Amino acid sequence: MKGLLYLVPAPLDFGCAQSAALETTMPMGTITIAASLAHWVCENAKSARAYLKRVNEITPLCQPIQAQSLVELPREVHKKGDHNGNFDARALLQPALDGHNMGLVSEAGMPAVADPGSSVVRAAHELGITVVPLVGPVSLLLALAASGLNGQNFAFVGYLPQDPQERVQRIRELEALALKTGQTQLFIETPYRNLVMLQSLLHTLQLNTRLAISSGLTLAGTSITSDSIKNWKHLSAPLDNATPAVFAIGR
């Protein structure tokens, strides 16, 4: 029989100065299944081992970390993404074809959601391997729920352009769509550009447009602010250039 492919969420504190206790952000059932797996597809083997070390502190791993099989997604998948079907991941799932359960894990949150991994999930379906998503933190949904914006009609649009003029144009496009349809627009940024993104939003968006920013979700210093641009202009920035954040605009 073929093994299963578990989509294993990871805590949202990757790269942050502080970390959250694993048992406060992950159900025990997810931790237990993670501990039972010895075959993994991951973004980065080093960070995956660090995650398994935290799992082991709660529930002993089925095999020592050194004996775990960790296969990294190719570098080009990280740089260009694997959402468009350009990468064939079937070879990575050989252990599942041999009858072993496997885990797919990203560096933070749910794999294949705002992270690489969709190619692995597609390959599993093509090979007749059952895909089992596990419960854990998903920053996009946490941010949406806490924003006060439309949670019935929303879109995640990934990263905005780095070029200042192109970024301003994209912000205006997203704002027009949000104001016309009521659809909340969610996006993210590399943390070291958080403040640049905030300034672009404050200088570009209309005064009555609502902006929500969720920073450091699930951490002790979580900051969630949702207000009109008019009021945002009088607020001190609730984020820094080191902590992951989710941005949302709407009406």
Side-chain angles (χ1 to χ4, degrees):
M1 293 181 62
K2 297 173 183 176
L4 307 175
L5 176 66
Y6 288 100
L7 310 186
V8 183
L12 301 178
D13 53 26
F14 174 75
C16 298
Q18 58 177 311
S19 60
L22 199 61
E23 60 270 27
T24 66
T25 60
M26 209 82 65
M28 193 61 201
T30 295
I31 296 173
T32 300
I33 291 176
S36 75
L37 303 174
H39 297 270
W40 295 87
V41 178
C42 60
E43 283 190 74
N44 180 279
K46 182 178 179 180
S47 57
R49 289 189 186 98
Y51 175 34
L52 290 174
K53 182 178 179 180
R54 294 170 70 175
V55 170
N56 188 57
E57 292 171 354
I58 301 172
T59 301
L61 301 177
C62 66
Q63 289 188 15
I65 292 177
Q66 297 81 357
Q68 298 270 337
S69 172
L70 299 169
V71 179
E72 294 182 344
L73 288 165
R75 179 174 174 78
E76 61 267 20
V77 169
H78 293 266
K79 296 180 66 176
K80 300 180 181 179
D82 61 344
H83 320 295
N84 298 320
N86 298 325
F87 172 64
D88 184 354
R90 287 177 292 183
L92 304 182
L93 295 172
Q94 187 59 49
L97 295 178
D98 294 336
H100 302 286
N101 291 339
M102 298 186 67
L104 172 65
V105 64
S106 65
E107 293 182 323
M110 179 66 75
V113 178
D115 265 319
S118 13
S119 60
V120 180
V121 177
R122 284 194 302 270
H125 288 298
E126 291 171 3
L127 295 171
I129 296 168
T130 299
V131 176
V132 183
L134 299 180
V135 177
V138 181
S139 61
L140 301 179
L141 293 182
L142 293 174
L144 178 63
S147 71
L149 298 175
N150 190 346
Q152 303 296 322
N153 184 9
F154 57 90
F156 171 61
V157 296
Y159 291 90
L160 304 195
Q162 295 182 30
D163 177 80
Q165 293 183 342
E166 293 179 3
R167 182 169 57 238
V168 166
Q169 180 180 350
R170 182 61 171 149
I171 289 172
R172 287 174 175 160
E173 291 173 352
L174 295 176
E175 180 184 41
L177 181 61
L179 297 181
K180 179 180 179 180
T181 66
Q183 183 183 70
T184 300
Q185 304 297 309
L186 295 155
F187 49 95
I188 54 178
E189 183 52 277
T190 303
Y192 68 82
R193 288 196 291 264
N194 278 344
L195 295 178
V196 170
M197 174 59 73
L198 176 59
Q199 289 305 310
S200 293
L201 293 167
L202 295 183
H203 290 145
T204 306
L205 295 172
Q206 300 176 35
L207 293 179
N208 290 328
T209 297
R210 195 168 191 90
L211 168 66
I213 300 178
S214 298
S215 173
L217 288 163
T218 73
L219 302 180
T222 297
S223 173
I224 301 172
T225 304
S226 179
D227 212 331
S228 67
I229 293 297
K230 179 180 180 180
N231 292 335
W232 264 100
K233 291 179 180 290
H234 304 289
L235 298 174
S236 57
L239 75 168
D240 53 43
N241 274 343
T243 308
V246 179
F247 301 81
I249 58 175
R251 64 187 188 190

